[in-house]
Amino acid sequence: MKSSFRWYGKDDPVSLEYIAQIPGMRSIVTAVYDVKPGEVWPEESLEWIKNECEKYGLVFDVVESIPVTEDVKLGRGERDRHIDNYIENIKRCAKYGVKCITYNFMPVFDWTRTQLDKKADDGSTSLVMYWDQMKGLDPLKDDIHLPGWDSSYTQDEVRELIKAYQEIGEEGLWKNIEYFLKKIIPVAEECDVKMALHPDDPPYPIFGLPRVITCEKNLDRYLGIVDSPSNTLCLCTGSLGSAKFNDIPSLVRKYSSEKKIGFMHIRNVKILEDGSFEESGHLSKDGTLNMNAIIKALVDTGFDGYFRPDHGRMIWQEIDSNARPGYGLYDRALGSAYINGLIEANGGKIE
Ligand code: DNO
């Protein structure tokens, strides 16, 4: 398995030098952040990332993410131009050594949380989604700014998008997914790149928006649209695992045996009585997921793709460092070391 770590580029307070010092670290997961979704990434930016990583003995071979625009997801407006640019971006990434590209099909908002700095008893903070903070919020009526949401949309734009998604519904979204996949997967295959689809986080509809990358049946449907070694999942244990109906070790075992996992996001999450959840430390005992069963499933099925520790808590005062919520150095590095231990103890190999 290939150990990787997310890095937000030159503005990330977590340096490549520090990342390279994490035991077993190999690959950097990043993106070009200063280009609007739907546009083409300059080659110089990709070359710069590759060279920076190499200076520290790291490999730039995973992209997270090339964003899929709302026009593509809604099947309207500039869809075809955006897909052409997406294809060009896949080719460019491949030219600079990228082997795996993460993306998602979540309408309007990526991950949804109600608080990014919930303090635990030990003083650490983490991201949470509490239903009692969500209840009563109606984005069609209220001006809502949930943490982590793209603030480039005005409230009116958000309302228009929500209505457009409500009109196309789940089946409309599936149709647009199919259109997109049929265009991009053959190109990714030619370029020897795995496209790794990130599940919806959390894996159920929010504010009446259709969300379909949520459960085993829908993951099967997705993978069945184009049968190709390049059509894979970014199996995020914390996203799928924030709903009790997903049995994560069994999903990992199944999709890894089928060679349908391009990338593993590995973190724990604690589901509360009412379905709310808190991002916990990676250790099994601290959350709801059995982390050893997840790693054992990967090792038993010969998984040789990329994995990364996912969100960490903020510990040791790192909250003051300006690192993005969930993306500080310390707790993710602890998560990485813990995952390494589980891999080794199960007889797996870290490349
Ligand atoms: C959250 C991340 C997601 C992920 C995208 C992939 O921290 O795991 O934002 O990067 O959904 O497209």
Side-chain angles (χ1 to χ4, degrees):
M1 286 180 230
K2 299 175 186 74
S3 171
S4 69
F5 211 76
R6 192 170 193 181
W7 178 63
Y8 279 101
K10 55 179 180 335
D11 299 330
D12 194 333
V14 180
S15 68
L16 288 175
E17 182 187 357
Y18 284 9
I19 296 173
Q21 291 168 356
I22 300 169
M25 196 45 65
R26 173 192 191 279
S27 291
I28 285 298
V29 179
T30 190
V32 173
Y33 291 105
D34 55 2
V35 173
K36 254 178 59 194
E39 303 305 324
V40 175
W41 289 358
E43 288 204 33
E44 307 80 75
S45 305
L46 292 164
E47 191 179 11
W48 181 82
I49 298 173
K50 180 175 154 59
N51 291 339
E52 279 306 290
C53 290
E54 282 171 1
K55 278 190 207 158
Y56 297 94
L58 295 162
V59 192
F60 166 47
D61 49 3
V62 184
V63 161
E64 180 171 344
S65 311
I66 304 182
V68 180
T69 62
E70 303 303 332
D71 274 5
V72 171
K73 288 182 264 187
L74 282 163
R76 69 181 193 182
E78 296 211 77
R79 160 167 66 179
D80 288 323
R81 188 179 74 83
H82 289 167
I83 294 182
D84 288 345
N85 288 346
Y86 206 100
I87 286 174
E88 179 59 25
N89 280 335
I90 295 175
K91 291 183 180 160
R92 290 189 180 194
C93 287
K95 180 169 166 195
Y96 289 90
V98 169
K99 294 285 173 209
C100 180
I101 297 175
T102 320
Y103 66 111
N104 73 74
F105 235 86
M106 280 177 257
V108 200
F109 316 113
D110 194 318
W111 48 270
T112 302
R113 302 289 185 270
T114 52
Q115 200 183 331
L116 304 182
D117 56 355
K118 173 75 177 61
K119 213 173 195 156
D121 291 345
D122 63 6
S124 62
T125 62
S126 73
L127 286 69
V128 299
M129 216 267 317
Y130 288 152
W131 279 113
D132 60 1
Q133 294 175 338
M134 278 289 266
K135 264 187 220 134
L137 295 181
D138 179 352
L140 288 178
K141 289 205 217 100
D142 314 320
D143 281 357
I144 304 178
H145 296 278
L146 282 184
W149 280 7
D150 185 343
S151 52
S152 64
Y153 294 124
T154 65
Q155 291 290 322
D156 283 341
E157 281 166 342
V158 168
R159 281 186 198 111
E160 192 277 323
L161 281 169
I162 293 181
K163 282 196 189 128
Y165 278 106
Q166 288 174 341
E167 264 158 40
I168 66 164
E170 287 194 6
E171 285 309 314
L173 191 57
W174 277 114
K175 219 170 82 205
N176 298 335
I177 289 175
E178 181 170 343
Y179 185 91
F180 174 71
L181 277 191
K182 289 192 167 156
K183 299 238 178 201
I184 61 143
I185 296 292
V187 179
E189 194 174 327
E190 264 167 42
C191 296
D192 192 24
V193 166
K194 286 191 194 304
M195 296 302 301
L197 171 78
H198 191 282
D200 298 354
D201 181 2
Y204 36 77
I206 299 271
F207 298 135
L209 282 167
R211 283 183 166 232
V212 295
I213 311 302
T214 51
C215 61
E216 183 171 0
K217 184 167 145 258
N218 290 8
L219 293 174
D220 284 345
R221 177 167 175 183
Y222 191 88
L223 292 170
I225 294 174
V226 181
D227 181 21
S228 157
S230 288
N231 191 18
T232 73
L233 301 172
C234 166
L235 201 151
C236 177
T237 62
S239 304
L240 289 169
S242 56
K244 281 211 181 103
F245 54 76
N246 285 321
D247 175 348
I248 305 303
S250 123
L251 293 179
V252 170
R253 190 168 289 276
K254 167 174 161 167
Y255 293 118
S256 174
S257 323
E258 294 174 358
K259 301 277 169 256
K260 286 297 178 195
I261 302 181
F263 192 15
M264 282 295 302
H265 280 185
I266 304 180
R267 70 177 158 86
N268 207 345
V269 61
K270 186 170 180 181
I271 307 181
L272 310 179
E273 279 293 298
D274 68 345
S276 300
F277 59 87
E278 296 171 341
E279 296 193 1
S280 61
H282 283 69
L283 191 69
S284 300
K285 167 179 161 300
D286 291 341
T288 300
L289 302 180
N290 181 337
M291 303 305 279
N292 191 47
I294 292 169
I295 303 295
K296 185 167 186 320
L298 289 171
V299 173
D300 289 351
T301 51
F303 178 69
D304 62 358
Y306 299 90
F307 72 88
R308 70 169 176 84
D310 204 358
H311 306 173
R313 303 160 302 148
M314 287 294 181
I315 58 173
W316 305 336
Q317 308 292 346
E318 200 179 11
I319 196 145
D320 301 329
S321 76
N322 259 336
R324 299 193 185 208
Y327 287 97
L329 170 66
Y330 304 139
D331 201 40
R332 285 192 298 150
L334 291 178
S336 177
Y338 170 59
I339 295 165
N340 286 347
L342 293 177
I343 294 174
E344 199 169 290
N346 278 290
K349 262 209 338 248
I350 297 152
E351 279 176 49

